[in-house]
Amino acid sequence: MDYKFGSDILILTADLHIHTTYSDGLLTPDEVIKIAFRKGLYAISITDHDTVAGIRKFENSQVKVIPGIEFGCVFEGEDVHILGYFSKYFLPKISEKVSFLKEKRIERCSEIIKKLNNQGLKIDMEDVCIYTQNGLIGRPHIARALIEKGYVHSMREAFDLYLNRGCPAYVERCSLSIKETIDLIHEEEGIAVLAHPGLIKRKEIIDYVIKEGIDGLEVIHSKHTHEDVVYFLSLAKKKNLLITGGSDSHGDLIDGEYLIGRYYVPVDNLMKGERRISIDQL
């Protein structure tokens, strides 16, 4: 394996934010692992939206796979995403909660489709489910159906015209509160991390999330600017929070290359703090 080096010290690296076909990604977990190995990563985390269905022990894997999840919360009209990381595969409390959220996702999708139909865009649930390999449904699947039907040319156009908050077909999601999410992750002995804080528009929300007991900040992210990284690195150190990072890959090719492995943090980062990810126990 091609490990990363820095200052003549061997550094084991981890991409801790990756989506698969179990939510809105295009790659299966096994395909993700193969790419991660090729990129020289020591560890990855599969963090699908509102589901742990893709979590399992990957036998004989040459890359450590950290069980994870990404919860979507809404706080005062703004999306806030919380990542959870765990040292175990069996997560009964989270499994029960995500089953409820899955049903609510289906209801939301039905409402969005009705609104699209009212706009003259003729799609149905069957058109959308073609893109949901493992039963979890979300707006990206609806966007792909709109592209296939020729109503839009890209995912961005689908969201900007119809699916984003404030657009004609938007329906608010059913979600846990920020505190409920953090507490649920802690109940499963996991660590809770604020995902891509640089994408949060109102920075006072970040202070609120920290006060609610978040364990870490996702400092490194594919959509963070250099200024974001510098700021959140300083904030994490000031607040004694874990520093994590990842590509947020959904399996798309960007300039002919997968995002997996282009954004990462040293594994050593995950071994610090009161709460930690015990990678070697997996």
Side-chain angles (χ1 to χ4, degrees), residues 100-112:
F100 167 77
L101 293 175
K102 180 179 179 179
E103 292 302 317
K104 291 300 180 181
R105 277 177 170 268
I106 294 172
E107 293 176 13
R108 183 195 192 200
C109 181
S110 296
E111 292 182 39
I112 291 174

Side-chain angles (χ1 to χ4, degrees), residues 36-103:
F37 177 69
R38 193 167 69 239
K39 293 290 191 76
L41 291 167
Y42 175 78
I44 62 169
S45 185
I46 291 175
T47 53
D48 280 312
H49 296 285
D50 295 340
T51 183
V52 290
I55 292 178
R56 69 181 191 275
K57 190 173 182 63
F58 293 87
E59 300 294 343
N60 303 317
S61 174
Q62 295 169 302
V63 178
K64 293 281 188 179
V65 181
I66 300 165
I69 191 171
E70 182 174 11
F71 285 105
C73 306
V74 179
F75 181 75
E76 296 182 352
E78 186 162 354
D79 292 326
V80 179
H81 288 202
I82 306 292
L83 293 158
Y85 300 107
F86 310 93
S87 294
K88 57 185 180 180
Y89 299 96
F90 182 55
L91 304 166
K93 294 177 182 178
I94 285 181
S95 295
E96 179 181 356
K97 189 63 67 173
V98 298
S99 293
F100 167 77
L101 293 175
K102 180 179 179 179
E103 292 302 317

Side-chain angles (χ1 to χ4, degrees), residues 9 44 76 96 104 129 142 144 153 184 196 203 271 276:
I9 298 175
I44 62 169
E76 296 182 352
E96 179 181 356
K104 291 300 180 181
C129 287
I142 299 173
R144 287 172 188 146
H153 297 96
L184 179 61
H196 38 66
K203 299 309 178 188
M271 306 300 181
R276 64 191 69 198

Side-chain angles (χ1 to χ4, degrees), residues 12-279:
L12 304 180
T13 56
D15 182 339
L16 299 174
H17 194 160
I18 300 174
H19 298 282
T20 76
T21 50
Y22 280 88
S23 60
D24 58 349
L26 300 176
L27 301 171
T28 67
D30 290 316
E31 289 171 330
V32 166
I33 290 171
K34 288 178 182 178
I35 294 168
F37 177 69
R38 193 167 69 239
K39 293 290 191 76
L41 291 167
Y42 175 78
I44 62 169
S45 185
I46 291 175
T47 53
D48 280 312
H49 296 285
D50 295 340
T51 183
V52 290
I55 292 178
R56 69 181 191 275
K57 190 173 182 63
F58 293 87
E59 300 294 343
N60 303 317
S61 174
Q62 295 169 302
V63 178
K64 293 281 188 179
V65 181
I66 300 165
I69 191 171
E70 182 174 11
F71 285 105
C73 306
V74 179
F75 181 75
E76 296 182 352
E78 186 162 354
D79 292 326
V80 179
H81 288 202
I82 306 292
L83 293 158
Y85 300 107
F86 310 93
S87 294
K88 57 185 180 180
Y89 299 96
F90 182 55
L91 304 166
K93 294 177 182 178
I94 285 181
S95 295
E96 179 181 356
K97 189 63 67 173
V98 298
S99 293
F100 167 77
L101 293 175
K102 180 179 179 179
E103 292 302 317
K104 291 300 180 181
R105 277 177 170 268
I106 294 172
E107 293 176 13
R108 183 195 192 200
C109 181
S110 296
E111 292 182 39
I112 291 174
I113 288 173
K114 289 178 183 177
K115 289 194 171 190
L116 289 170
N117 291 165
N118 291 337
Q119 293 289 316
L121 284 66
K122 301 305 179 184
I123 69 168
D124 56 31
M125 187 67 81
E126 186 175 337
D127 296 322
V128 175
C129 287
I130 293 172
Y131 302 98
T132 60
Q133 296 185 38
N134 292 285
L136 195 79
I137 197 165
R139 286 180 298 165
H141 304 115
I142 299 173
R144 287 172 188 146
L146 291 173
I147 294 170
E148 177 63 28
K149 290 282 187 176
Y151 291 122
V152 295
H153 297 96
S154 67
M155 298 283 283
R156 179 185 290 271
E157 186 178 3
F159 274 82
D160 288 347
L161 291 181
Y162 301 107
L163 302 177
N164 277 333
R165 184 176 279 109
C167 293
Y170 182 78
V171 175
E172 193 62 76
R173 73 162 69 99
C174 174
S175 63
L176 305 178
S177 71
I178 290 171
K179 179 169 177 51
E180 286 174 330
T181 301
I182 294 172
D183 288 348
L184 179 61
I185 292 169
H186 286 169
E187 285 176 22
E188 293 282 22
E189 301 177 348
I191 66 169
V193 171
L194 178 59
H196 38 66
L199 304 187
I200 296 176
K201 296 175 183 177
R202 293 168 47 224
K203 299 309 178 188
E204 61 267 26
I205 293 176
I206 298 171
D207 294 330
Y208 172 80
V209 175
I210 292 173
K211 290 178 182 177
E212 289 298 317
I214 204 77
D215 302 305
L217 297 180
E218 187 177 44
V219 173
I220 305 298
H221 185 269
S222 53
K223 292 184 179 179
H224 278 183
T225 65
H226 175 72
E227 290 74 19
D228 287 334
V229 173
V230 171
Y231 174 75
F232 290 116
L233 183 61
S234 174
L235 180 62
K237 291 180 178 179
K238 179 181 178 182
K239 299 293 184 178
N240 195 30
L241 298 171
L242 286 170
I243 297 165
T244 74
S247 61
D248 201 356
S249 170
H250 285 71
D252 301 285
L253 288 171
I254 309 298
D255 298 326
E257 182 184 354
Y258 292 110
L259 278 181
I260 297 168
R262 290 175 61 179
Y263 300 86
Y264 56 83
V265 289
V267 169
D268 180 59
N269 281 27
L270 312 178
M271 306 300 181
K272 300 174 182 176
E274 182 179 348
R275 292 183 180 273
R276 64 191 69 198
I277 302 172
S278 302
I279 295 176

